[in-house]
Amino acid sequence: LSSSAWPNASHEHRPAHVQFGHTRHQASSAFEMLSRRLTPKVGSRAGMARTLQALPHARRQAASAMMSRISMTAEGARHLYGLWAESYDRDLTTWGYRSPARVAEVAVSLGACGARAALDLGCGTGLSGEALLAAGVQASLTGIDVSRGALDVAAGKGLYAALLETRMDGPLPFDSHAFDLAVAVGSLGYVEDFGALFAEVCRVTAPGALCVWSVSASTWANDERGCRSAALALQAEGLWRKNFESPAEVYLPSHPDDLEREKTIKVLAFRRCGLPSRCSTSSP
């Protein structure tokens, strides 16, 4: 993807390799903020900060505990993944996380191998990009995320043509119709305005583009934060149409916390309208 896809990117939206700099200072700040949040649970804030910095295992345990306590907002995601980025891939693999592979499987079954430019919304450390490439998607990948620490890990994998630090549910710094594939894996739980997110996804994807995401099954079923109603409102407007909805699937089958093991997700796919022959419903 050429830089013309984000010609007016401000400092806030510059590519990750431009923005990254004071990583050690930022990590220390993240540890300090997370320590303040965890103090009521673990005791001394200074002691927790020292422990988080010194012991990778302790960082993983703290991140695991915070999954059920962190604010489900963009700022909450920034804090959590700033702490967790270093061990995130290993931990999620240990916990049986299959959402990236499932989203990639559904995308490929609906024709994503022909995509040329893909947008990875909330790309985190790049697990979703790895899954797309492993499934045969050869598109140029652009990733966005609110966590610099996670983007730093993703950048080190060399999978993405561009990585930008920005939230998902604000104005996206891309030209209209810039992408023919958009995915979001494990990131919609932190979205505060689904109407804004889905409208922007429709704007930056071309007619016929495929949009595939994973979402908490309860979030979708209960229309939390207007998730389902926002998606269906755009379908009613003729901007996209649902092509696929999976049954509920276990999210983290090997997670050490009982509540996390009980959580389920769905995978959904919507096709951007504009080419009538490609906007009919179908299942893989």
Side-chain angles (χ1 to χ4, degrees):
L1 182 69
S2 71
S3 60
S4 63
W6 33 277
N8 299 315
S10 66
H11 174 77
E12 179 184 3
H13 296 136
R14 288 179 190 169
H17 70 272
V18 174
Q19 289 196 30
F20 293 160
H22 308 294
T23 305
R24 183 172 301 175
H25 171 73
Q26 292 157 356
S28 298
S29 298
F31 289 139
E32 179 66 15
M33 288 186 288
L34 286 162
S35 298
R36 286 199 296 269
R37 288 174 175 264
L38 282 171
T39 297
K41 299 289 183 182
V42 301
S44 165
R45 176 158 58 95
M48 171 55 79
R50 287 193 298 271
T51 299
L52 291 175
Q53 290 172 329
L55 300 175
H57 179 65
R59 287 200 296 269
R60 290 195 294 274
Q61 287 183 321
S64 175
M66 287 193 68
M67 286 180 69
S68 60
R69 299 186 180 97
I70 194 74
S71 170
M72 298 302 289
T73 62
E75 192 61 23
R78 192 191 313 274
H79 291 168
L80 175 61
Y81 296 104
L83 164 70
W84 198 4
E86 180 182 331
S87 66
Y88 179 83
D89 289 8
R90 295 191 300 274
D91 295 340
L92 270 290
T93 299
T94 300
W95 296 340
Y97 183 55
R98 291 205 69 249
S99 297
R102 286 291 295 125
V103 167
E105 289 167 6
V106 170
V108 166
S109 72
L110 293 170
C113 284
R116 292 171 296 178
L119 175 61
D120 190 352
L121 297 148
C123 65
T125 60
L127 287 177
S128 42
E130 289 179 305
L132 287 172
L133 292 176
V137 176
Q138 298 299 314
S140 174
L141 295 176
T142 295
I144 67 169
D145 202 274
V146 295
S147 168
R148 291 190 180 189
L151 287 170
D152 202 8
V153 173
K157 296 178 178 179
L159 305 175
Y160 292 85
L163 289 164
L164 289 79
E165 184 193 2
T166 186
R167 60 186 296 152
M168 295 166 57
D169 53 0
L172 297 177
F174 307 110
D175 289 341
S176 297
H177 302 169
F179 303 97
D180 47 9
L181 174 64
V183 299
V185 180
S187 54
L188 295 191
Y190 301 98
V191 170
E192 299 170 63
D193 187 343
F194 280 99
L197 167 64
F198 291 152
E200 276 292 271
V201 170
C202 285
R203 181 185 67 79
V204 302
T205 51
L210 187 63
C211 307
V212 188
W213 64 78
S214 65
V215 65
S216 161
S218 62
T219 294
W220 185 256
N222 299 326
D223 196 24
E224 295 173 10
R225 301 187 181 182
C227 176
R228 189 180 72 250
S229 58
L232 297 182
L234 293 174
Q235 178 169 271
E237 293 178 25
L239 290 176
W240 63 11
R241 184 172 297 278
K242 187 171 71 172
N243 278 173
F244 176 80
E245 179 177 347
S246 77
E249 305 174 7
V250 178
Y251 173 48
L252 295 172
S254 301
H255 195 281
D257 184 271
D258 291 343
L259 293 178
E260 294 297 329
R261 285 198 304 273
E262 293 172 1
K263 290 180 179 179
T264 57
I265 62 152
K266 282 178 171 279
V267 177
L268 293 107
F270 281 69
R271 177 80 67 183
R272 278 280 285 114
C273 293
L275 299 178
S277 64
R278 300 192 67 185
C279 211
S280 59
T281 57
S282 62
S283 298

